[in-house]
Amino acid sequence: MVFFSKFYRPIITKVFNDPIHGSIELHPLLIKIIDTPQFQRLRFIKQLGGVYFVYPGASHNRFEHSIGVGYLAGKLAEALRSRQPELNITDRDVLCVQIAGLCHDLGHGPFSHLYDGMFLPKALKKKEKEMRKNGELGEEEKLEEWKHEKGSCDMLDHLLKENNLEPVMKKYGLKPEKDITFIKEMIAGPLQESEGQKWPYEGRKEKKSFLYEIVSNKKNGVDVDKFDYLARDSSYLGIMNNFDFRRFLQFARVCEVDGRKTICTRDKEEDHMYHLFYTRHRLHKRACQHRVSHIIQEMIAEAFLKADGHIKIEGSLGSAGSEGTIGSKGSRGLFTLSTAFKNMEAYTKLTDNVFEEILNSSDPNLQESRQILQNIISRKIYKFVGETTPKNPIPDWKTLKSSWKDGLVEPLPEGGRKLTRKHFKILVIERDYGMDNKDPIQHVHFYSKSDLNKAKAMPKEKGSRIRTTCFSEQLIRVFCKEIDDKSVEAAKKHFKQWLERNPYLDGSEGN
């Protein structure tokens, strides 16, 4: 299809057939970004990580999700522009929003959130322990945590530089110096400390604050990233999705809220918005936090941790924070699983394929890692022993896990098979509706038919009275690493007695 720019130059879009959104058209600049090694890498990163080992349909990847988010970002921006011309949304704005949606997940590592949410925290903790032992880190000091949003910004910089795309951006009317900053801010939030500043962003002025809510909404989580993954994940998992993002696009409107322009929806859409957050909660509960998929992901993270240091990924030297060593090709660096994110050339090569690299390796240093992954493939998975819900949330549960293990392994009065700390795996699950223990609906603003320009939060007394009033919960799950019947039976007895000695817990045994 051909469109014309304001200079009457033809802009030929490309049409994709997406299973969720149907036939979608993308701007040629987006195609240039998609056709790079850095973006194509997302083809090899599972959207739902280890959930695929439980749900056979969960085979989709970050690649198609990212294209979907880029498409929806443009649809929402165009809907607002056509409905409210006074907002002065420009072609530049729309294109930047689309790029932010397209590139928001460039920073994901192997198996998506498994890498930055399970593996890296363990690797950093191990590194901290080693550094304290060597006197390189104080007792209270901690290494800086890393999130995939930071990786997305670093990878975007690398992608644009390696593929010389800044001139292409200029060709289509963008101003790289300012617009790249804007794109990265939409992905990760303010790029610099903004304490005391009224407006923390540099890419666009405060009068266009609503643009920062399209891709990653820091206020209430209502954004096109969620629209796409709720529809896409539900479809591939075979789980019902009651939220219709197309309906949201029809009612989305920018209103003044607390002196700042915010994306709002109609007051009659309150129930529909509740479905958005409820569907997210259900997806996490039934898939991401499913007890089998969760323990499999923990096992993969454990295998990666044991393999860390023995997997070498070639990258470039000289980047900030790189920890590579000089290789045989001159100024090259070798990075590990836990340091590759510091070097985008190395990180480009790090995908889910590392699972098969370990699985098929004959390196004796990878024997333990290989055995864990072989156990996953042959379904020799840690056995579920039981779970318990604390009567009141435990904010400091991380400091209690060690004492919980001690409690689990205390000898049984009636004797029986003795288990040690190494036989148990304790996982703490925290479920919510996206805003800890808060009601997310209270952070969405609604306008009425009689006044399209004023919006406010829905008063609690006017909301539905048949919905939940509890928006978060904790779940403590116990698994046994020994999977033979005698060990599992002994573990269940240990678990039962542990519950009896801890009255603040209320548990149930596993099957």
Side-chain angles (χ1 to χ4, degrees):
M1 188 167 289
V2 179
F3 292 96
F4 290 88
S5 70
K6 62 183 179 180
F7 303 109
Y8 300 101
R9 289 197 301 264
I11 295 178
I12 303 174
T13 63
K14 190 167 185 178
V15 178
F16 288 75
N17 183 23
D18 184 77
I20 304 303
H21 307 303
S23 293
I24 62 177
E25 298 176 49
L26 294 182
H27 189 282
L29 177 55
L30 303 187
I31 304 304
K32 288 283 187 182
I33 293 171
I34 291 170
D35 292 340
T36 64
Q38 294 76 24
F39 192 91
Q40 291 290 317
R41 163 184 179 270
L42 297 179
R43 288 184 183 273
F44 311 108
I45 296 176
K46 288 283 184 295
Q47 170 82 1
L48 295 177
V51 173
Y52 182 47
F53 288 96
V54 175
Y55 284 86
S59 58
H60 54 306
N61 303 303
R62 289 281 160 185
F63 179 81
E64 50 264 43
H65 164 65
S66 296
I67 291 175
V69 176
Y71 167 71
L72 287 183
K75 293 294 285 184
L76 180 51
E78 290 287 8
L80 295 174
R81 174 156 72 169
S82 64
R83 196 167 296 132
Q84 296 176 272
E86 68 275 10
L87 296 174
N88 295 317
I89 299 174
T90 65
D91 289 344
R92 268 180 66 202
D93 293 334
V94 174
L95 192 49
C96 285
V97 167
Q98 288 176 307
I99 295 171
L102 190 70
C103 297
H104 79 289
D105 273 349
L106 285 176
H108 269 298
F111 294 92
S112 294
H113 290 290
L114 184 153
Y115 181 80
D116 65 322
M118 293 180 176
F119 164 69
L120 267 188
K122 290 182 174 70
L124 290 177
K125 188 176 179 180
K126 184 179 178 182
K127 180 73 171 176
E128 286 174 353
K129 190 175 180 180
E130 291 173 356
M131 291 178 71
R132 287 193 184 98
K133 186 178 179 180
N134 297 331
E136 302 173 64
L137 200 66
E139 284 300 318
E140 300 300 320
E141 290 182 284
K142 288 185 176 293
L143 295 175
E144 185 180 357
E145 291 184 359
W146 182 86
K147 297 295 182 186
H148 75 271
E149 291 88 353
K150 169 69 166 59
S152 295
C153 294
D154 291 343
M155 187 63 83
L156 177 61
D157 285 334
H158 180 63
L159 180 155
L160 295 174
K161 180 181 177 182
E162 288 297 303
N163 300 281
N164 194 31
L165 289 185
E166 286 196 15
V168 184
M169 295 176 76
K170 290 179 181 177
K171 172 185 172 183
Y172 290 109
L174 298 188
K175 299 177 181 178
E177 187 174 343
K178 186 168 186 127
D179 288 336
I180 291 172
T181 296
F182 176 42
I183 292 164
K184 291 195 288 187
E185 287 175 336
M186 284 189 283
I187 293 171
L191 302 181
Q192 297 178 346
E193 292 294 329
S194 57
E195 199 171 325
Q197 287 183 251
K198 184 182 176 184
W199 180 242
Y201 296 101
E202 296 179 13
R204 291 296 184 271
K205 294 182 179 179
E206 190 174 4
K207 64 182 180 180
K208 291 192 174 180
S209 56
F210 59 91
L211 293 176
Y212 288 95
E213 299 172 6
I214 293 176
V215 175
S216 179
N217 193 331
K218 310 299 183 192
K219 290 182 177 180
N220 53 34
V222 179
D223 52 47
V224 295
D225 176 26
K226 195 173 274 83
F227 296 173
D228 185 86
Y229 81 65
L230 288 184
R232 196 172 300 275
D233 294 356
S234 296
S235 176
Y236 281 90
L237 289 167
I239 294 175
M240 182 69 71
N241 173 26
N242 290 323
F243 178 77
D244 183 0
F245 62 83
R246 296 174 187 85
R247 187 173 176 86
F248 179 87
L249 294 180
Q250 290 177 322
F251 289 103
R253 189 173 182 84
V254 173
C255 301
E256 195 94 7
V257 176
D258 298 327
R260 191 166 284 173
K261 287 182 169 61
T262 298
I263 298 176
C264 307
T265 190
R266 269 289 302 275
D267 47 7
K268 67 176 184 176
E269 294 300 294
E270 185 209 6
D271 273 342
H272 188 225
M273 298 311 298
Y274 177 79
H275 286 310
L276 170 74
F277 301 107
Y278 179 72
T279 301
R280 175 194 176 277
H281 167 69
R282 292 293 294 170
L283 277 176
H284 276 259
K285 185 174 182 177
R286 293 185 60 184
C288 305
Q289 295 171 344
H290 182 285
R291 69 190 190 195
V292 179
S293 65
H294 197 186
I295 196 60
I296 286 175
Q297 296 209 104
E298 286 287 342
M299 290 175 71
I300 296 172
E302 189 178 324
F304 285 177
L305 195 63
K306 291 181 182 296
D308 192 26
H310 303 296
I311 298 288
K312 303 296 183 183
I313 307 160
E314 191 178 81
S316 60
L317 286 178
S319 64
S322 67
E323 294 183 4
T325 56
I326 294 178
S328 59
K329 293 187 179 180
S331 59
R332 308 297 293 165
L334 294 178
F335 296 82
T336 66
L337 291 179
S338 63
T339 61
F341 70 88
K342 298 181 180 182
N343 185 279
M344 289 300 108
E345 185 176 328
Y347 199 50
T348 301
K349 302 170 186 175
L350 184 58
T351 66
D352 292 2
N353 291 339
V354 71
F355 184 103
E356 290 190 6
E357 182 181 343
I358 296 170
L359 190 65
N360 299 325
S361 171
S362 57
D363 185 347
N365 292 312
L366 295 174
Q367 172 56 35
E368 287 186 85
S369 302
R370 185 163 56 247
Q371 186 59 56
I372 293 172
L373 299 186
Q374 285 173 345
N375 287 342
I376 292 172
I377 295 297
S378 57
R379 304 303 285 186
K380 296 175 182 176
I381 300 161
Y382 301 159
K383 290 292 186 178
F384 177 69
V385 172
E387 62 186 27
T388 175
T389 304
K391 293 179 180 177
N392 293 301
I394 305 171
D396 58 343
W397 60 264
K398 289 182 181 179
T399 62
L400 296 175
K401 281 182 78 172
S402 182
S403 64
W404 286 346
K405 277 195 176 183
D406 289 336
L408 279 167
V409 301
E410 286 181 13
L412 296 171
E414 68 273 17
R417 185 164 186 171
K418 184 178 180 181
L419 297 176
T420 63
R421 288 171 57 94
K422 71 177 183 179
H423 291 113
F424 288 100
K425 182 79 174 178
I426 300 177
L427 302 180
V428 178
I429 316 299
E430 294 187 311
R431 294 178 182 148
D432 57 41
Y433 277 55
M435 298 190 72
D436 298 323
N437 61 346
K438 300 173 185 175
D439 179 359
I441 290 294
Q442 295 300 308
H443 295 264
V444 178
H445 291 83
F446 302 87
Y447 64 88
S448 66
K449 187 177 181 179
S450 59
D451 193 341
L452 301 179
N453 298 314
K454 288 184 180 179
K456 58 185 178 180
M458 184 66 66
K460 285 186 178 182
E461 60 273 13
K462 289 190 177 182
S464 174
R465 296 183 181 181
I466 61 173
R467 292 203 299 254
T468 184
T469 56
C470 178
F471 295 94
S472 66
E473 65 177 350
Q474 274 183 344
L475 203 61
I476 302 170
R477 285 177 176 160
V478 178
F479 294 82
C480 183
K481 292 187 176 183
E482 296 294 325
I483 64 173
D484 62 282
D485 292 342
K486 288 185 178 180
S487 295
V488 175
E489 191 59 36
K492 288 182 178 181
K493 290 180 180 179
H494 277 270
F495 177 74
K496 185 176 180 180
Q497 292 209 52
W498 177 62
L499 290 180
E500 291 172 355
R501 291 193 297 268
N502 293 278
Y504 65 92
L505 300 174
D506 180 21
S508 61
E509 251 183 74
N511 297 320

